[in-house]
Amino acid sequence: MSWGLDNLPYGVFSRGGEPPRVGVRYGEHILDLTASLHDEVFATGSLNPFMARGSTAWRETRALIQTKLRDDRSVTQEHLIPLDQVRLHLPFEVADYVDFYCSLEHASNLGRMFRPDEEPLKPNWRHLPVGYHGRAGTVVVSGTPVTRPHGQRGAGVFGPSAKLDIEAELGFVIGTPTALGERAGSFEDHVFGVTLVNDWSARDIQAWEYVPLGPFLGKSFATSVSPWVTPLAALPRVPGREQDPEPLDYLRRSADWGLDIEFEVTLNGDVVSRPPYSGMYWTPDQMLAHLTVNGASLRTGDLFASGTVSGAQPGQRGSLIELTWNGTEPIKLSSGETRTFLENGDTVTISARAGDISLGEVTGTVQ
Ligand code: CA
């Protein structure tokens, strides 16, 4: 079952005029945790206070919820609210947002398109997980409309982006903080869970502005996340992809943090891509180690995303610029229309699953 006892993702919901509070999805219902666990930490409109309690509390709470849902008759209809009666909110207060670039295929494809005369991968790429600091304040929950950004598209050229794109990514949510100067400890002690991310990207603005400091306004206008945060404990793990050269000691993998997650990207209802997460080059424990190796602190609610998930096959690319090979081969939709980049009114939905575990979806419509 996609939303059974082995899944139980967390979200923030409200019903009618009631204030938002934390719940757990179970089937087509949401379990109201404030009412069923009698714990005020869930009465706030954000997962942050609960995430800040740390990994022991996360494990104990998950076990308690599983026991209650399985055996406890005190869980009543009053605590299990049908999803169609609630509104879902941004599940956590986003502290800092970092976006990595961990897919070898995506980085190679973009290198070929943005720098056709050079080697696709820069010399640093296989030595460290490349990333940049994004804009936490414009992370929005699934369903929020995305306004086409305006910006500079070249020397003296200003206007709405004509190359609006998506990036299908996996986001990791920090629960346990670190102090300034302290490196992160074990991955599962800091990372609470995962969420789906659509890193909306204006390719024309990006191509003009990104030299030499990297992505800026072409990315910061909106980043959408799914309403559910799936606990790490629910995800099947696989060995990470082989790496050459061997990374430095601080990036050495101590456990299998490859994740076997299948993504699906739909554009106006048509499936356009199925990117596999299992082929990602850098694993999330390596991203966390790199993010904190310089002593930068972590805060509860920090979000770091994997970068676009792209596989080796043409139908596995996680962005339109790759699917249309730099805008030269349009996508044919079942409506008879074609797309190279997004038009106003287009809806993109990214969903994912790990075996039987659904990670839900993140959707947005361009306006
Ligand atoms: Ca990205």
Side-chain angles (χ1 to χ4, degrees):
M1 178 174 163
S2 294
W3 303 100
L5 290 173
D6 48 358
N7 190 344
L8 302 178
Y10 290 85
V12 169
F13 72 98
S14 62
R15 181 170 55 174
E18 296 164 2
R21 55 198 189 276
V22 173
V24 153
R25 178 161 179 177
Y26 181 55
E28 294 308 307
H29 290 75
I30 190 160
L31 178 67
D32 183 341
L33 293 180
T34 314
S36 60
L37 300 186
H38 308 289
D39 188 338
E40 288 297 308
V41 78
F42 300 112
T44 69
S46 141
L47 270 167
N48 293 42
F50 171 60
M51 294 197 298
R53 283 185 177 173
S55 57
T56 304
W58 311 337
R59 278 192 294 275
E60 288 171 357
T61 303
R62 180 169 168 83
L64 180 62
I65 294 167
Q66 286 170 328
T67 304
K68 272 193 174 280
L69 286 171
R70 193 187 296 117
D71 308 321
D72 192 342
R73 293 204 179 154
S74 74
V75 176
T76 62
Q77 289 308 312
E78 177 189 359
H79 301 150
L80 279 167
I81 303 165
L83 276 175
D84 59 14
Q85 293 181 13
V86 306
R87 185 177 151 214
L88 297 169
H89 302 264
L90 188 65
F92 58 101
E93 203 179 324
V94 184
D96 285 298
Y97 165 48
V98 163
D99 197 13
F100 284 98
Y101 197 47
C102 291
S103 160
L104 178 66
E105 283 72 24
H106 175 71
S108 304
N109 287 339
L110 259 67
R112 282 186 206 108
M113 289 185 275
F114 277 58
R115 298 179 298 274
D117 304 329
E118 298 175 27
E119 278 293 305
L121 289 181
K122 288 285 188 184
N124 62 358
W125 197 89
R126 286 176 181 271
H127 294 271
L128 53 83
V130 168
Y132 71 96
H133 282 94
R135 193 164 183 85
T138 45
V139 175
V140 298
V141 72
S142 176
T144 307
V146 172
T147 302
R148 181 180 299 272
H150 282 62
Q152 283 201 29
R153 300 175 309 205
V157 183
F158 180 88
S161 170
K163 294 187 175 179
L164 186 56
D165 197 353
I166 58 136
E167 293 193 332
E169 307 194 12
L170 190 65
F172 299 85
V173 184
I174 293 292
T176 310
T178 58
L180 199 61
E182 176 194 3
R183 285 194 203 175
S186 80
F187 184 72
E188 60 264 57
D189 281 341
H190 289 285
V191 175
F192 177 76
V194 303
T195 185
L196 302 181
V197 174
N198 185 350
D199 176 26
W200 303 91
S201 300
R203 300 297 180 196
D204 39 8
I205 297 172
Q206 180 186 357
W208 173 236
E209 75 177 358
Y210 89 109
V211 182
L213 289 185
F216 189 36
L217 303 177
K219 300 273 192 178
S220 63
F221 54 94
T223 306
S224 302
V225 296
S226 54
W228 305 112
V229 181
T230 307
L232 282 188
L235 297 174
R237 291 156 50 181
V238 293
R241 182 170 173 169
E242 204 172 303
Q243 294 179 312
D244 183 23
E246 183 89 359
L248 289 174
D249 273 351
Y250 82 93
L251 288 170
R252 195 153 290 167
R253 296 168 176 157
S254 56
D256 288 342
W257 279 112
L259 297 169
D260 194 6
I261 298 172
E262 289 289 330
F263 280 65
E264 188 174 270
V265 181
T266 67
L267 171 54
N268 297 340
D270 288 347
V271 176
V272 295
S273 178
R274 290 198 169 89
Y277 195 85
S278 58
M280 296 294 270
Y281 189 88
W282 294 102
T283 48
D285 53 324
Q286 295 178 309
M287 297 181 224
L288 180 71
H290 191 61
L291 184 57
T292 58
V293 72
N294 66 344
S297 52
L298 293 173
R299 293 194 291 171
T300 299
D302 279 0
L303 170 68
F304 65 93
S306 61
T308 307
V309 183
S310 284
Q313 304 303 317
Q316 297 181 330
R317 293 168 183 156
S319 67
L320 299 183
I321 194 170
E322 291 169 275
L323 286 166
T324 63
W325 201 252
N326 210 6
T328 57
E329 293 174 39
I331 298 167
K332 294 182 181 65
L333 300 176
S334 60
S335 62
E337 293 181 290
T338 59
R339 287 291 183 278
T340 46
F341 293 99
L342 297 173
E343 296 189 4
N344 290 350
D346 283 352
T347 298
V348 175
T349 302
I350 299 166
S351 59
R353 51 191 315 118
D356 287 340
I357 305 290
S358 176
L359 278 74
E361 63 178 42
V362 55
T363 190
T365 298
V366 179
Q367 63 179 18

